[in-house]
Amino acid sequence: MEEKELNKIVNEIKKDFFLYRNGIITDHLKKIYPAGTLIYGLNVPQLKELSKKYPKDLDLSLILWKEKKIREARLLSIFLMPSENLQAEIAKDLIRDIESVEQAEFLAFKVLRNIPKAHDIFTEIKGEKNLSPLSSYCLEMFQKNLIDEVGL
């Protein structure tokens, strides 16, 4: 997809976040997210609904992932991420870049478990030193999925 088209979609997504905003959920989540994080308060069914509206595209999902200060952008990026062609290095970078429990769980359950050679990726990154506590939590969830899926 071309950059101009990607930017147009990202702007549409941000407008949708504004339309779906929920002050009650936002107030609750502000207590658990770092100061400065923009939170619209979308819930999982709303994110699923939005994910049907937009293409599953790696470039689009990575642009949204880079929106570190917008909770919903990072979560929606996971819903739009095509795991079947996600490269191992990108997957490991995503794990290293986790910033919330929500992101860790969504990434582990929606993307990582569906990556080709998921076990190899898990094995490679689990031995890394200096992973953040949230990245380590993501790995725990990833491992749980591998155990559930293949009986590791």
Side-chain angles (χ1 to χ4, degrees):
M1 213 178 298
E2 290 184 27
E3 185 177 345
K4 186 176 180 179
E5 187 177 351
L6 287 169
N7 289 333
K8 181 182 175 194
I9 293 172
V10 169
N11 287 332
E12 288 176 27
I13 288 170
K14 288 178 181 179
K15 287 177 186 175
D16 283 340
F17 290 161
F18 187 77
L19 291 173
Y20 281 89
R21 70 191 184 281
N22 181 321
I24 295 169
I25 294 173
T26 298
D27 289 343
H28 171 71
L29 290 172
K30 282 186 177 182
K31 297 172 187 171
I32 59 174
Y33 268 84
T37 303
L38 182 58
I39 301 169
Y40 290 97
L42 275 70
N43 58 35
V44 174
Q46 290 170 319
L47 290 167
K48 283 182 181 179
E49 185 178 328
L50 280 178
S51 73
K52 293 174 186 172
K53 182 177 177 181
Y54 297 104
K56 270 196 144 191
D57 179 86
L58 184 58
D59 292 332
L60 175 60
S61 65
L62 292 176
I63 288 170
L64 290 170
W65 183 260
K66 290 177 186 171
E67 294 277 355
K68 290 183 172 227
K69 295 295 182 183
I70 304 175
R71 170 192 173 259
E72 286 76 10
R74 289 202 114 196
L75 295 178
L76 184 62
S77 75
I78 295 167
F79 280 89
L80 297 178
M81 198 168 287
S83 54
E84 62 275 357
N85 61 2
L86 188 63
Q87 298 169 351
E89 284 309 311
I90 293 173
K92 289 188 273 185
D93 287 343
L94 293 169
I95 293 167
R96 292 180 195 110
D97 194 35
I98 293 292
E99 295 183 336
S100 74
V101 170
E102 276 184 314
Q103 291 171 19
E105 291 174 350
F106 277 101
L107 187 65
F109 293 116
K110 296 220 36 78
V111 177
L112 297 176
R113 73 190 235 173
N114 298 313
I115 296 174
K117 300 186 180 182
H119 180 267
D120 295 341
I121 293 168
F122 172 79
T123 302
E124 288 174 27
I125 197 167
K126 82 172 184 176
E128 287 187 13
K129 306 268 189 256
N130 302 323
L131 285 175
S132 74
L134 289 168
S135 294
S136 295
Y137 177 70
C138 183
L139 281 177
E140 288 177 37
M141 295 298 101
F142 187 12
Q143 183 178 29
K144 180 180 178 354
N145 277 295
L146 290 173
I147 291 169
D148 291 347
E149 294 291 317
V150 295
L152 235 187

